[in-house]
């Protein structure tokens, strides 16, 4: 059975604001959102790698002050993991370690395809929005 992320049922009800990331090797889409409205807003995509990426993530966290972070984790259509699955999971672990915030993983199969189909100008940010809205819709 594939190691897919658990549903967000364990998200404490006092967690209201979230920052989501669509991790990519060169670009990382970002979206902010909240539990009350169950909607997300795209933010400027981070175009950096390594420590430079984490410096920009840190700036977004300071700006938005989220209660938790959400990371999209891609899988093959059959649910099997691949190299990008492991890279996104590593990114999620690094976020938790560097910033000390809870990090939730969301199965983000097809989010970029959906963003492009919707005519997004910034597919990475739009994909982060789709990931976050999916997460928010599944909260109790």
């Amino acid at each position: 059975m594939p190691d897919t992320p658990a549903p967000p049922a364990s998200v404490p009800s006092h967690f209201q604001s979230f920052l989501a990331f669509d991790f990519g090797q060169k670009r990382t889409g970002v979206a902010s959102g909240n539990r009350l409205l169950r909607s997300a807003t795209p933010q400027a995509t981070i175009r950096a790698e390594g420590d430079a990426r984490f410096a920009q993530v840190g700036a977004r966290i300071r700006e938005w002050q989220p209660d938790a972070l959400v990371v999209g984790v891609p899988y093959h259509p059959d649910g099997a993991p691949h190299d990008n699955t492991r890279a996104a999971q590593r990114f999620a672990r690094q976020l938790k370690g560097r910033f000390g915030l809870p990090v939730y993983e969301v199965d983000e199969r097809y989010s970029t395809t959906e963003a492009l189909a919707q005519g997004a100008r910034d597919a990475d940010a739009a994909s982060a929005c789709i990931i976050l809205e999916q997460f928010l819709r599944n909260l109790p």
Side-chain angles (χ1 to χ4, degrees):
M1 182 179 290
D3 182 24
T4 57
S10 62
V11 179
S13 62
H14 66 277
F15 284 11
Q16 293 295 311
S17 63
F18 301 89
L19 206 54
F21 300 96
D22 178 28
F23 174 79
Q25 297 296 332
K26 303 270 185 217
R27 297 178 317 275
T28 300
V30 183
S32 60
N34 70 67
R35 191 178 206 142
L36 179 65
L37 298 176
R38 295 192 191 267
S39 66
T41 304
Q43 303 301 322
T45 291
I46 294 171
R47 288 172 169 76
E49 300 173 53
D51 286 338
R53 178 195 331 258
F54 287 107
Q56 289 188 41
V57 167
R60 303 293 174 88
I61 289 172
R62 285 188 298 280
E63 177 183 356
W64 290 98
Q65 299 287 309
D67 295 315
L69 308 175
V70 176
V71 174
V73 178
Y75 291 89
H76 283 297
D78 67 358
H82 50 75
D83 289 343
N84 289 339
T85 307
R86 289 177 276 284
Q89 289 170 328
R90 180 172 183 259
F91 176 68
R93 288 190 306 273
Q94 290 173 317
L95 288 175
K96 183 174 183 160
R98 286 178 182 242
F99 302 107
L101 289 168
V103 178
Y104 298 95
E105 295 179 6
V106 172
D107 181 341
E108 63 113 338
R109 276 177 269 188
Y110 308 117
S111 64
T112 301
T113 303
E114 186 178 336
L116 292 170
Q118 292 173 358
R121 283 186 278 172
D122 182 341
D124 300 300
S127 184
C129 256
I130 291 166
I131 290 163
L132 185 51
E133 287 178 348
Q134 176 186 332
F135 173 83
L136 293 168
R137 275 194 310 269
N138 289 311
L139 290 177

